[in-house]
Amino acid sequence: MNFYEWFFLEKGRAPAGLFSWSHLLSVTIALAFFITLGYFLGKRNQDNPKGQRKVLIFTTAGILALVIMKMSFLLATTDNIPNTLLENMPLFFCDMMVFIVPLAAFTRGRFQDICFDFIAICGFIMGLMGNYAAGNIYGSHPAFSYLSLISAISHSISAFAAMFVFRAKLNKMEKRNIIFVIGILFVYMSITLAVDYATGKNYMFFLGGDGTPFGLFYDMVGGNLIAYQIIIYVLQCGYIGVFYLIYYPIVKTIRKRREKKLNGSKPSPEQ
């Protein structure tokens, strides 16, 4: 057996299994690397718009390259190209970065601010859930294999983008944009749900958990698809709302502490 058969085709190898040591180790290393990189690049380019744009363009190129690498391999190793294309459209929650990061890189004004807010809010959850809850990946593939590594890097880039946006202070988090940030996800989910019903595929796990923790909610409602799909909407769109509810009080508290510290450090008029 050669390396291609072992690494790419996974011949003679068993799946890692969700939450196995190899699964947890590989995704933790990937996340730690990309989050750290995002922090330092964000810090370095905090006051450098040209540098920020370059990072976003390189991030876009990286995301698109991973999509091409994955699809090229799948198409080269399948006997059913139409079905492979249908099963691998960028319609999962984590795939949204394929669209949002390029939009953030090449647009301007309020729309760009909305994209930055979306990246900041959803990037970390995409990185964490996409890596640690990937039962559909690690339940079917070894941790150190081509498709598993593509998955780990792809999801970790989402966390990288979020850290970069936060550290470079690109997110505005304006209250007037909340409905639009949630609206991006709502529209995307609705398109995905229509595609699921039209094709019978299971994008965003609207038709079942497929080995992910979403299966707990599917079982909880006894397989009732309408109730289950409402839960999926509430969980994912609700996450953004909860993020805002937590974010604003934290920022307000930090600002008050800074102001108190500054006022306390100023000399009194009598001094």
Side-chain angles (χ1 to χ4, degrees):
M1 182 186 303
N2 57 39
F3 180 76
Y4 175 79
E5 293 175 333
W6 182 84
F7 180 71
F8 289 88
L9 301 183
E10 305 168 15
K11 286 188 176 181
R13 305 177 68 194
L18 185 65
F19 303 139
S20 64
W21 71 267
S22 57
H23 163 213
L24 297 177
L25 178 63
S26 61
V27 298
T28 299
I29 291 173
L31 273 171
F33 172 79
F34 279 100
I35 289 175
T36 302
L37 182 63
Y39 177 87
F40 284 108
L41 287 177
K43 181 179 180 181
R44 181 178 180 180
N45 294 285
Q46 182 174 322
D47 300 311
N48 182 5
K50 288 185 177 180
Q52 293 166 1
R53 191 163 185 264
K54 285 181 180 179
V55 172
L56 291 169
I57 291 173
F58 276 114
T59 304
T60 296
I63 292 172
L64 294 178
L66 288 167
V67 171
I68 293 170
M69 289 166 64
K70 176 184 175 181
M71 287 305 301
S72 297
F73 173 74
L74 292 175
L75 292 174
T77 56
T78 185
D79 295 325
N80 191 338
I81 290 178
N83 187 63
T84 298
L85 290 172
L86 280 176
E87 287 183 342
N88 292 279
M89 291 187 286
L91 290 174
F92 284 106
F93 176 55
C94 301
D95 291 325
M96 291 187 71
M97 288 301 181
V98 174
F99 308 104
I100 301 298
V101 173
L103 288 171
F106 295 107
T107 60
R108 292 289 183 271
R110 186 178 177 185
F111 183 77
Q112 186 183 48
D113 293 341
I114 292 169
C115 292
F116 281 141
D117 287 356
F118 185 90
I119 292 170
I121 293 169
C122 295
F124 287 118
I125 196 70
M126 289 176 177
L128 293 172
M129 293 299 293
N131 272 320
Y132 287 109
N136 56 322
I137 298 295
Y138 295 94
S140 304
H141 304 282
F144 187 68
S145 63
Y146 184 74
L147 292 177
S148 292
L149 289 180
I150 289 287
S151 173
I153 295 171
S154 298
H155 290 109
S156 297
I157 285 180
S158 296
F160 160 85
M163 176 56 78
F164 175 77
V165 167
F166 264 116
R167 189 61 188 83
K169 297 184 178 180
L170 294 171
N171 55 307
K172 300 291 181 62
M173 298 296 187
E174 294 180 304
K175 291 182 179 180
R176 64 173 184 159
N177 289 335
I178 292 176
I179 189 65
F180 296 103
V181 175
I182 296 176
I184 289 174
L185 178 56
F186 185 87
V187 171
Y188 184 88
M189 291 179 72
S190 298
I191 293 172
T192 300
L193 181 59
V195 171
D196 281 352
Y197 274 112
T199 64
K201 304 305 178 184
N202 192 25
Y203 290 109
M204 294 192 85
F205 309 107
F206 271 125
L207 302 183
D210 197 16
T212 69
F214 284 124
L216 298 173
F217 298 99
Y218 183 83
D219 295 337
M220 183 178 73
V221 296
N224 184 311
L225 275 182
I226 301 300
Y228 169 69
Q229 288 160 2
I230 290 173
I231 290 173
I232 298 299
Y233 268 97
V234 171
L235 286 174
Q236 300 202 46
C237 291
Y239 162 76
I240 297 178
V242 170
F243 188 99
Y244 278 112
L245 288 174
I246 296 172
Y247 175 83
Y248 289 126
I250 290 175
V251 170
K252 186 177 181 180
T253 300
I254 293 173
R255 187 180 296 117
K256 283 184 176 181
R257 287 182 178 178
R258 286 178 178 173
E259 289 174 355
K260 186 177 180 181
K261 188 175 180 180
L262 285 172
N263 292 333
S265 65
K266 290 180 179 179
S268 64
E270 297 178 357
Q271 290 180 322

